[in-house]
């Protein structure tokens, strides 16, 4: 019998407090990953926290925003911007493509008063990725503040706020970084801080307030945390940054690029009418590959059939209206691996065959392997 008063130890529990110095060191590692000299703040919640906090901090009734919609998140950002009283011009492009810098320039020409641009870098939900470097050039010429959701791109492809002129760059660790979902980070330029400081509607004394953290944490020399940090998530973020540094960020990104190319090539070779949802390979995100199902096949049923083969595979049907037509292969984090791509293609082949669709599984596996090899040679 246990002595009364003893507590069973557990690896997640009874940890020593996370020090301010360790918290700041994790922020420094995120800054290095992003190659940024801007202030990096680790926000104590899922990425929606800094995504919303940055918009509510920077936008107000005087803001004129260009909101680029290439998937479901762009829709949400437009809602927040309107909520803040901003004038919002939506630039929506079909989910099977990416937005171009030329389209952004056209919007500036039509509305020269635009002073804020919101953009999602890569969309895991739709499988596209946008040319942020080129768009950033146009935004710089316009002099607008540039807000970027890089949650689904970081770790899968370069995310370079300083080089691209991004003023507010939000990342999360739960996709290609292979880390926790409960913390996120944002890099903030001097311009963006100034815009927030001048905004009377920017949240203050609020969980959404980035300015509170600037004053109480960054400007105070990162010596005392304003409140108890999300300790487990911070440790997990530190571990995931360590793992990326050990492998090399380039190698992690190359693995995601290879997984996307292999999945795309494999799906095409599988045949039977399964097609890449994003038409052009250059617009397809390295983080996840979306596929359009053959006519007569319901995507959510196909996914259910594939998961019956192996429930651990990173397969999902599209969200909302896309549930009928889109399959998502979420080959990110540890799933950006040749065996996961192979197993995903095989698992999709079985229910397609069952539905009477003629597919060539062996050809798909060969094509995926070749594409992975070519991607490796190119990196
Ligand atoms: C995944 C993702 C997020 C974070 O959303 P969760 O669904 O909570 O993971 C934010 N933005 C984009 C573009 C994403 O793909």
């Amino acid at each position: 019998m246990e002595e009364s008063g003893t507590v069973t130890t557990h690896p997640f529990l009874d940890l020593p407090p996370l020090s301010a110095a360790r918290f700041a060191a994790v922020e420094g590692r995120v800054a290095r990953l992003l190659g940024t000299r801007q202030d990096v703040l680790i926000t104590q919640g899922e990425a929606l926290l800094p995504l919303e906090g940055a918009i509510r901090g920077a936008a107000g009734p005087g803001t004129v925003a260009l909101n680029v919609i290439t998937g479901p998140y762009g829709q949400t950002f437009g809602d927040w911007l309107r909520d803040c009283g901003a004038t919002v011009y939506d630039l929506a492009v079909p989910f099977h493509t990416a937005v171009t810098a030329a389209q952004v320039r056209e919007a500036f020409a039509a509305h020269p008063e635009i002073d804020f641009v919101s953009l999602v870098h890569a969309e895991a939900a739709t499988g596209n990725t946008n040319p942020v470097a080129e768009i950033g050039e146009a935004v710089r010429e316009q002099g607008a503040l540039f807000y970027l959701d890089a949650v689904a791109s970081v770790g899968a492809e370069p995310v370079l706020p300083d080089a691209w002129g991004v003023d507010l760059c939000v990342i999360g660790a739960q996709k290609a970084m292979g880390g926790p979902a409960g913390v996120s980070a944002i890099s903030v330029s001097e311009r963006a801080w100034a815009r927030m400081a001048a905004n009377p509607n920017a949240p203050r004394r609020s969980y959404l307030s980035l300015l509170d953290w600037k004053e109480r944490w960054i400007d105070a020399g990162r010596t005392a945390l304003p409140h108890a940090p999300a300790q487990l998530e911070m440790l997990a973020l530190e571990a995931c940054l360590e793992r990326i540094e050990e492998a090399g960020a380039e190698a992690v990104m190359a693995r995601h690029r290879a997984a996307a190319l292999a999945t795309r090539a494999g799906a095409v070779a599988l045949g039977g009418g399964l097609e890449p949802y994003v038409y052009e390979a250059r617009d397809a995100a390295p983080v996840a590959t979306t596929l359009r199902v053959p006519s007569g096949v319901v995507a959510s049923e196909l996914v259910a059939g594939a998961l019956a083969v192996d429930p651990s595979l990173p397969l999902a049907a599209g969200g909302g209206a896309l549930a009928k037509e889109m399959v998502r292969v979420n080959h990110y984090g540890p799933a950006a691996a040749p065996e996961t791509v192979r197993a995903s293609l095989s698992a999709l082949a079985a229910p397609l065959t069952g539905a009477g669709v003629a597919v060539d599984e062996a050809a798909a596996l060969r094509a995926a392997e070749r594409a992975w090899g070519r991607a490796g040679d190119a990196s």
Side-chain angles (χ1 to χ4, degrees):
M1 211 173 115
E2 276 195 22
E3 253 179 87
S4 70
T6 58
V7 176
T8 320
T9 61
H10 187 284
F12 299 165
L13 304 175
D14 317 311
L15 300 165
L18 188 89
S19 69
R22 193 158 177 192
F23 192 107
V26 180
E27 290 180 324
R29 285 176 122 146
V30 171
R32 275 197 295 285
L33 180 67
L34 299 180
T36 185
R37 301 168 63 89
Q38 296 178 4
D39 286 333
V40 166
L41 179 66
I42 296 183
T43 37
Q44 302 294 286
E46 200 271 336
L48 284 169
L49 172 62
L51 286 169
E52 182 174 352
I55 284 187
R56 294 198 188 278
T63 305
V64 182
L66 176 67
N67 180 49
V68 181
I69 303 178
T70 58
Y73 283 94
Q75 203 78 52
T76 301
F77 302 159
D79 292 341
W80 286 334
L81 284 162
R82 287 184 181 85
D83 209 33
C84 293
T87 302
V88 184
Y89 297 105
D90 285 324
L91 169 54
V93 303
F95 291 173
H96 59 70
T97 184
V99 72
T100 64
Q103 287 173 302
V104 170
R105 283 181 205 279
E106 279 166 31
F108 291 156
H111 309 287
E113 66 282 21
I114 287 170
D115 64 357
F116 184 98
V117 174
S118 49
L119 176 71
V120 176
H121 185 186
E123 297 256 13
T126 45
N128 50 24
T129 188
N130 293 302
V132 184
E134 290 161 38
I135 294 167
E137 248 180 73
V139 176
R140 238 191 333 268
E141 286 163 23
Q142 176 74 5
L145 207 68
F146 193 12
Y147 164 99
L148 186 71
D149 174 350
V151 175
S153 51
V154 69
E157 55 189 307
V159 175
L160 302 167
D162 292 13
W164 298 344
V166 178
D167 295 287
L168 293 157
C169 184
V170 173
I171 66 157
Q174 72 264 40
K175 301 253 170 75
M177 288 175 69
V183 285
S184 45
I186 182 167
S187 72
V188 185
S189 72
E190 282 306 322
R191 263 160 37 101
W193 282 132
R195 184 84 74 103
M196 285 191 246
N199 179 8
N201 296 336
R204 305 301 295 256
R205 295 164 295 282
S206 156
Y207 206 68
L208 281 175
S209 177
L210 300 176
L211 285 171
D212 285 0
W213 275 85
K214 174 175 169 51
E215 282 174 14
R216 296 178 61 191
W217 171 245
I218 298 173
D219 292 349
R222 300 188 206 245
T223 49
L225 287 160
H227 55 76
Q231 188 180 17
L232 286 172
E233 285 79 2
M234 290 300 296
L235 294 177
L237 178 59
E238 184 182 53
C240 115
L241 287 160
E242 251 163 36
R243 191 165 67 174
I244 291 169
E245 288 164 12
E246 269 163 28
E250 275 302 326
V252 175
M253 290 189 274
R255 194 159 52 74
H256 285 83
R257 198 160 53 238
L261 292 170
T263 304
R264 189 175 179 92
V268 170
L270 192 60
L274 193 69
E275 288 172 0
Y277 197 92
V278 177
Y279 294 176
E280 302 288 339
R282 65 159 188 274
D283 297 338
V287 71
T289 300
T290 47
L291 303 170
R292 188 184 299 279
V293 298
S295 63
V297 173
V298 177
S300 54
E301 291 170 10
L302 176 59
V303 167
L307 291 177
V309 177
D310 181 352
S312 72
L313 292 173
L315 300 171
L322 298 173
K324 285 202 173 104
E325 58 189 83
M326 181 194 282
V327 170
R328 295 165 53 189
V329 186
N330 292 321
H331 43 65
Y332 53 71
E339 53 281 12
T340 307
V341 169
R342 273 198 305 271
S344 296
L345 291 166
S346 293
L348 289 169
L352 281 169
T353 305
V357 179
V359 292
D360 190 341
E361 183 183 342
L365 297 178
R366 277 196 307 274
E369 196 163 329
R370 271 200 308 273
W372 194 291
R374 276 199 306 273
D377 296 342
S379 71

